[in-house]
Amino acid sequence: MTTEQTIPNQDENQIITERRAKLTALRNAGIAFPNDFERKNLSGDLHTAYGEMSHDELATAHVSVAVAGRMMLKRVMGKASFATVQDMSGRIQLFISNGDTGEEAHSAFKHYDLGDILGASGVLFKTKTGELSVRVSQIRLLTKALRPLPEKFHGLTDQEQKYRQRHVDLITNEDARRVFTIRSKVIQSIREFFMRHDYLEVETPMMHAIPGGASAKPFVTHHNALDMEMFLRISPELYLKRLVVGGFEKVFEINRSFRNEGLSTRHNPEFTMIEFYEAYRDYKYMMDFTEKLFCEVSRKVLGTTVITYQGREIDLAKPFERLTMTQAIRKYHPQFSDAQLNDRDFLINELEDLKAKYNTKDALGGLQLSLFEELAEHQLFEPTFIVDYPVEVSPLARSSDTHPGVTDRFELFIVGREIANGFSELNDPEDQEARFDAQVLAKEAGDEEAMFKDADYIRTLEYGLPPTAGEGIGIDRLVMLLTDCASIRDVILFPQMRPEI
RNA sequence: GGGGGAAUAGCUCAGCUGGUAGAGCAGCGGACUCUUAAUCCGUUGGUCCGGGGUUCGAUCCCCCGUUCCCCCA
């Protein structure tokens, strides 16, 4: 809405200059950006309704249509032309000729450029090669595109440009449209699943005075009026459990959370997950529930539970395997005995040999986890729940009644990546306070990802959190799986990038 | 953070261990009334990512930097 002409001279080129001249001519001739074209038909609907009709049937039916879209292909043959326009539902071919539109309109059309947005009305017909097309009687330029599109055959292939100029990627690459359409449907079907199970969708704060609910470094910001440091949330967990205390016994939030860590093919600093909590359930129920969810989402969105990821097939309808960490290690490294995997000195020796990262102060469970991450995690291609996480890395999970040092917790791995994390919630306020205190000690000892003590959350638990199970599922990673994308940037519309200049 | 790769016309890409750059598409002009990445003829278009260095001469070799991609932590 600015009247100021902001022309980026530095990347002005001949093509843009010529298109600008065409725009100037349009301005001089009248309204250059009209807003009165009434689009009546989508190309996809027309193909569905009339695609199967013969040339003669269509001629008899005499179907009048008005379509609009971006011109993607253009073939001029003297007194007649073909153009392909693309709208939100697909593409349709236009036939423009002196005989149908008059020579003046057709001549004007010849100066339209690929990328321009057109509106056309006319009658449906089939070409002699059988392609459903519009015999155009009136055609208008609705929006002049000043910048040229990428090459019509290859589209945009430069990864950086695909991410930085996602609109161009979406215009030219059908696969990009496919991925983000699937993403939308995945979220929709997840929401439907939870609605059907009587969950309440809620929104909790994204700005936290105390970042909690996960072990991660937060982004820091500042509230001016309150003059206080605030954090972008790393997880909505503690707020959602407050709501369970409040009596909302089944809640979920499809949330954006933020973690101040590096960027990679698996990490974007802001990411989408769903967290959900259900009272009077345990972590075992959540595993069953998760299997149902994954199966249903895949079936609804893709029409099948059998997916192919990077060349390998997975059937989400098959029961997900459930292993403890040591079982998973032994599955891929049968040379280890149970006794060895329960021997601190042995584990430390192995981790040293592997040059793996681990915390020397860790108890047995922490060391097992380090070895699991080193030797087994990346091999878990088939969906696998790893159960019985150690207490020291699970400060919000309920302790096992039968195995000291272990919590009622699982993580789900598919294609070697963590995709979900759930547990029976710790609802003993005194135990929770002790766990927070342990986290504070870890933080003081230099663990930047250790949790803060949240006294308000303890007070909340003191009102009584019913026995509850909760879980978080990484939606970006789930979408990667369902769309066969290798990089998280391929499933995030605008992934975080370094500034261009 | 470490290692490897990439950056050349608006886009997709060539460019021979050194001699100031080419093709296709797009654009512009022309021919063409059923094309399908239309075709045919002609033609415009370059900060070879940026900055230093070596050299008579650098897109090419060396150093520094920027961004992206891949692998590792």
Side-chain angles (χ1 to χ4, degrees):
Chain A
M1 287 293 283
T2 175
T3 51
E4 205 172 306
Q5 293 274 5
T6 51
I7 299 168
N9 281 318
Q10 60 274 24
D11 62 354
E12 234 15 40
N13 61 46
Q14 187 190 1
I15 292 176
I16 294 176
T17 304
E18 273 163 5
R19 290 185 177 214
R20 255 183 224 290
K22 290 179 183 179
L23 175 60
T24 302
L26 287 170
R27 287 190 202 282
N28 293 338
I31 297 167
F33 291 87
N35 194 216
D36 62 336
F37 180 80
E38 195 181 343
R39 186 258 292 279
K40 294 183 177 141
N41 307 91
L42 288 175
S43 60
D45 295 342
L46 295 176
H47 286 292
T48 303
Y50 302 105
E52 300 304 314
M53 284 173 73
S54 72
H55 176 276
D56 292 346
E57 286 169 333
L58 265 178
T60 310
H62 198 80
V63 183
S64 291
V65 300
V67 296
R70 193 181 294 275
M71 181 161 67
M72 304 302 292
L73 296 169
K74 178 187 174 192
R75 296 177 285 278
V76 175
M77 299 163 298
K79 297 186 182 63
S81 301
F82 285 96
T84 302
V85 292
Q86 175 170 292
D87 64 22
M88 62 182 279
S89 68
R91 292 180 170 195
I92 193 158
Q93 181 170 262
L94 308 180
F95 178 74
I96 305 105
S97 70
N98 285 2
D100 296 311
T101 63
E103 189 175 348
E104 193 183 337
H106 184 224
S107 296
F109 164 81
K110 289 178 190 175
H111 295 284
Y112 295 177
D113 292 302
L114 295 184
D116 287 353
I117 293 169
L118 315 179
S121 54
V123 175
L124 287 181
F125 77 111
K126 279 247 168 118
T127 63
K128 67 182 181 190
T129 51
E131 179 166 348
L132 184 70
S133 309
V134 180
R135 184 182 298 281
V136 172
S137 51
Q138 286 187 305
I139 186 160
R140 292 171 67 191
L141 179 53
L142 303 180
T143 304
K144 184 71 198 165
L146 293 177
R147 290 183 181 269
L149 290 180
E151 203 218 15
K152 60 191 172 189
F153 186 60
H154 296 94
L156 191 63
T157 62
D158 183 77
Q159 285 297 332
E160 184 173 358
Q161 293 310 312
K162 283 164 72 76
Y163 300 148
R164 289 193 195 276
Q165 303 213 64
R166 184 65 88 182
H167 49 284
V168 181
D169 186 32
L170 290 170
I171 289 169
T172 55
N173 294 2
E174 184 171 359
D175 195 59
R177 295 193 293 273
R178 177 189 72 89
V179 165
F180 292 105
T181 305
I182 289 176
R183 182 182 177 115
S184 176
K185 289 178 178 167
V186 165
I187 290 170
Q188 187 189 338
S189 66
I190 288 173
R191 185 171 272 125
E192 282 168 6
F193 182 87
F194 282 92
M195 292 299 184
R196 206 175 63 242
H197 287 85
D198 296 321
Y199 273 73
L200 188 71
E201 181 169 15
V202 296
E203 291 150 285
T204 64
M206 296 176 70
M207 295 170 67
H208 292 183
I210 301 172
S215 298
K217 279 185 272 184
F219 286 93
V220 186
T221 186
H222 184 261
H223 191 294
N224 287 345
L226 298 176
D227 189 23
M228 65 181 284
E229 193 173 57
M230 297 202 82
F231 304 90
L232 299 186
R233 72 174 164 202
I234 54 176
S235 156
E237 171 154 353
L238 302 185
Y239 283 94
L240 291 171
K241 284 191 279 196
R242 284 177 169 98
L243 295 176
V244 180
V245 171
F248 288 149
E249 293 169 354
K250 297 183 182 187
V251 290
F252 75 96
E253 179 170 9
I254 294 173
N255 69 95
R256 199 78 60 82
S257 288
F258 307 84
R259 296 185 184 175
N260 207 339
E261 53 199 23
L263 296 90
S264 78
T265 49
R266 291 173 295 280
H267 296 88
N268 196 60
E270 57 179 293
F271 63 102
T272 305
M273 61 168 165
I274 177 167
E275 278 208 12
F276 51 99
Y277 293 83
E278 181 166 342
Y280 311 109
R281 298 295 191 187
D282 68 0
Y283 75 116
K284 289 180 177 164
Y285 173 87
M286 281 304 192
M287 287 192 275
D288 296 338
F289 192 65
T290 303
E291 288 187 47
K292 284 188 199 124
L293 171 68
F294 275 51
C295 224
E296 176 172 317
V297 168
S298 178
R299 191 174 285 129
K300 279 195 172 170
V301 172
L302 302 176
T304 174
T305 59
V306 181
I307 59 172
T308 301
Y309 191 78
Q310 309 292 296
R312 289 176 67 179
E313 218 172 67
I314 300 168
D315 187 354
L316 296 170
K318 286 201 294 201
F320 296 1
E321 198 167 0
R322 299 178 189 199
L323 300 171
T324 65
M325 249 171 262
T326 53
Q327 284 168 342
I329 295 169
R330 290 193 62 193
K331 178 169 176 179
Y332 297 99
H333 300 274
Q335 72 272 23
F336 296 130
S337 71
D338 254 351
Q340 286 174 320
L341 294 178
N342 283 292
D343 177 342
R344 272 204 73 183
D345 293 338
F346 178 84
L347 291 171
I348 287 174
N349 273 334
E350 283 299 315
L351 288 164
E352 285 293 334
D353 287 351
L354 291 164
K355 297 187 175 77
K357 253 193 186 172
Y358 69 99
N359 190 338
T360 44
K361 289 180 210 144
D362 270 355
L364 190 62
L367 296 172
Q368 287 170 341
L369 176 61
S370 296
L371 192 64
F372 163 79
E373 287 173 347
E374 191 68 24
L375 293 179
E377 178 173 331
H378 302 293
Q379 315 224 39
L380 298 174
F381 197 88
E382 295 283 332
T384 306
F385 289 112
I386 299 297
V387 296
D388 296 355
Y389 274 71
V391 173
E392 61 261 38
V393 296
S394 313
L396 302 169
R398 180 181 189 278
S399 295
S400 166
D401 294 328
T402 49
H403 298 88
V406 166
T407 56
D408 291 341
R409 175 181 171 195
F410 65 85
E411 285 195 3
L412 172 61
F413 293 87
I414 309 181
V415 300
R417 286 199 277 264
E418 179 199 340
I419 197 157
N421 174 25
F423 39 85
S424 299
E425 301 300 333
L426 175 56
N427 62 344
D428 173 345
E430 293 173 358
D431 189 357
Q432 183 68 77
E433 182 157 22
R435 304 273 194 101
F436 276 148
D437 289 341
Q439 289 289 305
V440 170
L441 287 178
K443 190 171 276 296
E444 283 165 359
D447 182 356
E448 287 182 280
E449 296 190 346
M451 290 181 189
F452 291 84
K453 179 168 185 172
D454 189 335
D456 178 75
Y457 179 66
I458 305 279
R459 184 176 65 183
T460 303
L461 288 186
E462 285 168 357
Y463 283 93
L465 172 68
T468 296
E471 181 175 346
I473 297 173
I475 289 190
D476 306 294
R477 290 180 181 181
L478 175 59
V479 175
M480 286 168 72
L481 185 67
L482 295 176
T483 54
D484 194 14
C485 284
S487 170
I488 198 168
R489 294 189 187 120
D490 292 323
V491 301
I492 292 175
L493 279 166
F494 300 101
Q496 195 61 49
M497 303 285 279
R498 283 189 171 79
E500 266 184 281
I501 312 159

